[in-house]
Amino acid sequence: ADGAPGFLLATAGAMRAAGLLLAWALLHPAASQQCHPSSPGGVLRFTDRHAEIQVPALHRVPSSLDPLYGLVRRCLDLIQQNPLPTELLRTALNDPGSVRTSQVVQYELGYVICAAVALLFTVAVPVAGMCFCYCRSRRRCGGRLRAHRRSLGCRRRCLLACLSFTSLIILISVTCAFVTSHRVKGQMEPGLGAVPSTLRTLRQHLANLPQGVQMVVDKFEVPRKQIISDLGGLSRSVGLSIHAQLKAVTYAALADLQDRARDLQTSLHHLQILHRTARALAAARAELEPALRERRRRVVALLDDPRCTSCASVLGRAQGLELGADYGKVPSVEKVLKALAGLPRSDFAEMIRQGNGTFNSIPELAVERMAQVIQDLRGDLARTAEKVQSIADGFPLPDYTRPVSEALVKAEERSQPYLREVQRVERYRWIAGTVLCSIILLILLCNVTGMALGAYGLSKREDPSDYECRGEAGAKFLLVGVGLAFLFSWLLILLVFATFLVGGNIQTLVCRNWVNQEIYKFIDTPGNLPPSMNLTRELNLRRDSNLSSTYRECKSGAGLWEVLQLDSSYDLDEHLKTPKYTADFQKRLGDFTANLGDVRLLRSEGRQDLETFARSGVDEVDYGRFQEEMKIPVVQTSLPGLARNLEGLQKMQRNGTVAGRLAAEARALWHMQNSTVQSQEALVAKLGESVQFLSRLAPHLKERVKRTLATTASVEARLPVQAQQILRQELGCFTRKELRYFAQYLNWVGQMLREDVASCQPLATALDNGRVILCDRIADPWNAFWFSLGCCTFFLIPNIIFAVRLTKHFRPIRNRLISTGSEETCPFHIPRVTALKL
């Protein structure tokens, strides 16, 4: 039990030594440290696109009239089955005077046939109208039936059904004509306005490209802020990393040094105890020896008295009452104490506290030592921003977009007169179409009113030959509708043919070939366009490119970088090489050095104290001799045992005097035990603790002190080297991390400049929008208008026929023999008894 504290102390020291060795192994130069894995914050986030001007894409909007549009397109495909007239267009563009009329007629054969039909209709219908007027004046057309037949009712109902059917078709057609005419008018104005606005938007887009390049360059602020933020925590991060990686070995060395200082203090303390206790025991023995001899003599004399009953059994123990251990024979430690006199001369606690404080101040020291280099790095970042600005300053985009901008200006200026003329013509077309559609509605109104009055008059007439005013009014309404049809049908057919000729050619010559890109192929074919209209040269496209490929590239999102010849005059990859912008930054970090590990763990006076402690001879003292003496009791015979024996004999005595003397001797033995022997035994116990500690420390003292001194010196020597290595490692990791930021930014700049910033997609979108506006939003309702109006016009012919024939059924029927008219009279008129009620 007495040796337990010393054993625990030794175990703790061994564990510290093992920890020191492990930490030192981890800090061995051969061990390589890796950079920390990049955090999610190591990826920079840039805005997807700069605020450039975009052309909104237009799309065909589904409509309830789409079936009508499809029917009209199929009709036009039947009328014009010829493909794009490349030869005719080439001749017309390069040498307009050599174009032959026969070529135009051959290509427009379907329209020529339609023109002949329209001409025939224009001539035939007015002639037929004049003939009808002549016949009507001669009372031949639209008069009365001459005789009553049984089949008249069936014929009349058939004519009513046919006229109603044609009127319904005309009503549906004129409704579609009204709707499509209004739609053309509604789409024409914004459609024509979209042409200059789109051209201006394209010019603004091109003019905005330098601003877009500048905005991309300005995004250098993203990596710059990130790098400045990283620089703000670099020095403390480096200091904390050095502290974290070296603290194990440093703290282990300091703990080992603290153990040696404690060993010195404890050993000196125990040596002093050993010296004082041994001398005290020797002096106490000298004082105890005469008293113990006198006490033995008296006890032996008493026990040898014949009057003492049964005392012979205790006599032997009393005769052995002698002194035991002689501490005057143990080795002296005065020489060791003399060698250790004045130790420790240094304050190990303060020394360890200072070393610990110096080591723990490495993060603050790193902040102080690296302040200047961080300031210089920030200056390097400012100069790097100026180098990045040179990308925008030297980007040659304006030189290549200027021809396109000039072409757009010319197109906008030349399109204005044509657009105004188209708008004026469209206004006249809408007025004419509205007036003629209103006349058609008036004709339908006459038809409906005539059929309603006529049918009502027939129902009220009792005799077919009776005159009925409502039936007569119905017949007159039908004849008014016929007259309006004859009067305005030629104007209708002229409007139909005029709009048909324009809209049909737009659909078959432009829209159909625009959708299948035959127009682009025609433009791309060399020789089709005159030299003054060479788009490849005018737009400064690549020599191996054409309008079709450029349109496809732009539509797929390609940039002007790929379409224009920018790579031949501006090596973007050369301008975006990372070392061009990071050389100064990288060199400054690579050249930086700072002594951050100069930590003094043991000063010279402390080292001398430990060396003196190791040479003091503590390990040369024969502690075994002390242990041998401690095994011997202070008195050979146990005084308490002998006193108890005497007390027992005192009870057995019959002689009172002997009994009193035995009791007195027992008390004297107890007094000696408690006053003298017990104090010596306490000194022996105290001596045993010191001997145990020193005997356990002595065999390993020199080895431990030597190891502590060597470890401390090695740690002091290696700390600056290891700190410098960690500094280089941390700066290397930091440099690679920041270079990744530069690389990310420059890669993003290259992608933006090649694909997004100088995008030509608005050009393709503008072309697609032009097709949607012209073909889907204007040409389709335009063609549907003339188709609907044409249906009204052609169905007026059966409408006239059915109306004229139905007129006779609404008037009184003449008999064969008697006529009620003034031109036919018969004096022998005999009224019929019965008559069929019509």
Short mmCIF file of all heavy atoms in Angstrom, two decimals, residues 95 105 219 265 268-269 338 397 453 493 520 531 576 662 740 748 756:
data_model
loop_
_atom_site.label_atom_id
_atom_site.label_comp_id
_atom_site.label_asym_id
_atom_site.label_seq_id
_atom_site.Cartn_x
_atom_site.Cartn_y
_atom_site.Cartn_z
N ASP A 95 -30.36 39.96 -113.77
CA ASP A 95 -30.62 40.69 -115.03
C ASP A 95 -32.12 40.80 -115.22
O ASP A 95 -32.73 40.01 -115.94
CB ASP A 95 -29.98 39.93 -116.20
CG ASP A 95 -30.04 40.73 -117.49
OD1 ASP A 95 -30.42 41.92 -117.43
OD2 ASP A 95 -29.72 40.17 -118.55
N VAL A 105 -45.46 33.15 -116.81
CA VAL A 105 -46.76 32.50 -117.02
C VAL A 105 -46.66 31.02 -116.75
O VAL A 105 -47.57 30.41 -116.16
CB VAL A 105 -47.26 32.79 -118.45
CG1 VAL A 105 -48.51 31.96 -118.77
CG2 VAL A 105 -47.56 34.27 -118.62
N LYS A 219 -17.38 40.40 -63.47
CA LYS A 219 -17.65 39.30 -62.56
C LYS A 219 -16.38 38.77 -61.90
O LYS A 219 -16.45 37.83 -61.08
CB LYS A 219 -18.36 38.15 -63.30
CG LYS A 219 -19.79 38.46 -63.67
CD LYS A 219 -20.63 38.76 -62.44
CE LYS A 219 -22.04 39.14 -62.81
NZ LYS A 219 -22.85 39.48 -61.64
N GLN A 265 12.51 17.80 -7.66
CA GLN A 265 11.97 18.34 -6.42
C GLN A 265 11.65 17.21 -5.44
O GLN A 265 11.99 17.28 -4.24
CB GLN A 265 10.69 19.15 -6.72
CG GLN A 265 10.92 20.40 -7.55
CD GLN A 265 11.44 21.53 -6.69
OE1 GLN A 265 11.62 21.39 -5.48
NE2 GLN A 265 11.75 22.66 -7.33
N LEU A 268 14.89 15.45 -4.10
CA LEU A 268 15.57 16.28 -3.11
C LEU A 268 14.82 16.24 -1.78
O LEU A 268 15.44 16.12 -0.70
CB LEU A 268 15.66 17.71 -3.63
CG LEU A 268 16.42 18.72 -2.75
CD1 LEU A 268 17.86 18.26 -2.54
CD2 LEU A 268 16.39 20.09 -3.38
N HIS A 269 13.50 16.27 -1.86
CA HIS A 269 12.69 16.21 -0.66
C HIS A 269 12.89 14.89 0.08
O HIS A 269 13.12 14.86 1.31
CB HIS A 269 11.21 16.41 -1.04
CG HIS A 269 10.26 16.19 0.09
ND1 HIS A 269 10.17 17.04 1.18
CD2 HIS A 269 9.36 15.18 0.32
CE1 HIS A 269 9.26 16.59 2.01
NE2 HIS A 269 8.75 15.46 1.51
N LYS A 338 24.83 17.29 -0.78
CA LYS A 338 25.79 18.35 -1.05
C LYS A 338 25.85 18.66 -2.54
O LYS A 338 25.97 19.83 -2.93
CB LYS A 338 27.15 17.92 -0.52
CG LYS A 338 28.21 19.02 -0.63
CD LYS A 338 29.52 18.56 -0.03
CE LYS A 338 30.58 19.66 -0.11
NZ LYS A 338 31.88 19.23 0.47
N LEU A 397 -14.93 42.55 -80.86
CA LEU A 397 -16.29 42.31 -81.31
C LEU A 397 -16.88 43.48 -82.10
O LEU A 397 -17.53 43.26 -83.13
CB LEU A 397 -17.18 41.98 -80.11
CG LEU A 397 -18.53 41.35 -80.43
CD1 LEU A 397 -18.37 40.06 -81.19
CD2 LEU A 397 -19.30 41.11 -79.14
N LEU A 453 -91.65 35.82 -95.87
CA LEU A 453 -92.90 36.43 -96.31
C LEU A 453 -93.61 35.56 -97.33
O LEU A 453 -94.85 35.40 -97.30
CB LEU A 453 -92.63 37.82 -96.88
CG LEU A 453 -92.17 38.89 -95.87
CD1 LEU A 453 -91.82 40.19 -96.59
CD2 LEU A 453 -93.26 39.15 -94.84
N ILE A 493 -65.66 39.34 -106.96
CA ILE A 493 -64.66 38.47 -107.59
C ILE A 493 -63.36 39.20 -107.83
O ILE A 493 -62.27 38.61 -107.75
CB ILE A 493 -65.22 37.87 -108.91
CG1 ILE A 493 -64.40 36.63 -109.32
CG2 ILE A 493 -65.25 38.90 -110.02
CD1 ILE A 493 -64.49 35.51 -108.34
N TYR A 520 -33.26 29.66 -97.96
CA TYR A 520 -31.87 29.72 -97.48
C TYR A 520 -30.93 29.02 -98.47
O TYR A 520 -29.82 29.51 -98.73
CB TYR A 520 -31.77 29.08 -96.11
CG TYR A 520 -32.58 29.78 -95.03
CD1 TYR A 520 -33.14 29.07 -93.97
CD2 TYR A 520 -32.78 31.14 -95.07
CE1 TYR A 520 -33.89 29.71 -92.99
CE2 TYR A 520 -33.52 31.79 -94.09
CZ TYR A 520 -34.08 31.07 -93.06
OH TYR A 520 -34.80 31.70 -92.09
N PRO A 531 -23.61 40.27 -106.86
CA PRO A 531 -22.46 40.53 -105.96
C PRO A 531 -22.76 41.55 -104.89
O PRO A 531 -22.21 41.48 -103.79
CB PRO A 531 -21.38 41.02 -106.93
CG PRO A 531 -21.77 40.46 -108.26
CD PRO A 531 -23.27 40.43 -108.29
N LEU A 576 -6.77 33.90 -71.86
CA LEU A 576 -7.41 33.31 -70.68
C LEU A 576 -6.53 32.29 -69.98
O LEU A 576 -7.04 31.50 -69.18
CB LEU A 576 -8.74 32.66 -71.09
CG LEU A 576 -9.82 33.60 -71.62
CD1 LEU A 576 -11.07 32.82 -71.98
CD2 LEU A 576 -10.16 34.68 -70.59
N LEU A 662 4.76 -6.23 39.24
CA LEU A 662 4.48 -6.63 37.85
C LEU A 662 3.62 -5.58 37.13
O LEU A 662 3.86 -5.24 35.97
CB LEU A 662 3.76 -7.98 37.83
CG LEU A 662 4.62 -9.21 38.15
CD1 LEU A 662 3.76 -10.46 38.26
CD2 LEU A 662 5.70 -9.40 37.08
N ARG A 740 -7.59 27.59 -58.26
CA ARG A 740 -8.82 26.98 -58.78
C ARG A 740 -9.90 28.06 -58.97
O ARG A 740 -10.69 27.99 -59.93
CB ARG A 740 -9.32 25.90 -57.84
CG ARG A 740 -8.56 24.60 -57.93
CD ARG A 740 -9.33 23.45 -57.30
NE ARG A 740 -9.55 23.66 -55.88
CZ ARG A 740 -8.73 23.25 -54.93
NH1 ARG A 740 -7.62 22.61 -55.25
NH2 ARG A 740 -9.00 23.47 -53.65
N TRP A 748 -15.14 30.20 -67.05
CA TRP A 748 -16.48 30.75 -67.20
C TRP A 748 -16.48 31.93 -68.18
O TRP A 748 -17.40 32.07 -68.99
CB TRP A 748 -17.00 31.19 -65.84
CG TRP A 748 -18.35 31.83 -65.89
CD1 TRP A 748 -19.56 31.21 -65.97
CD2 TRP A 748 -18.62 33.24 -65.86
NE1 TRP A 748 -20.57 32.14 -65.99
CE2 TRP A 748 -20.04 33.39 -65.92
CE3 TRP A 748 -17.83 34.37 -65.76
CZ2 TRP A 748 -20.65 34.63 -65.90
CZ3 TRP A 748 -18.44 35.61 -65.75
CH2 TRP A 748 -19.84 35.73 -65.82
N ASP A 756 -22.62 32.74 -74.75
CA ASP A 756 -23.78 33.48 -74.25
C ASP A 756 -23.71 34.97 -74.53
O ASP A 756 -24.67 35.56 -75.02
CB ASP A 756 -23.95 33.24 -72.75
CG ASP A 756 -24.45 31.84 -72.46
OD1 ASP A 756 -24.80 31.16 -73.43
OD2 ASP A 756 -24.46 31.43 -71.30
#
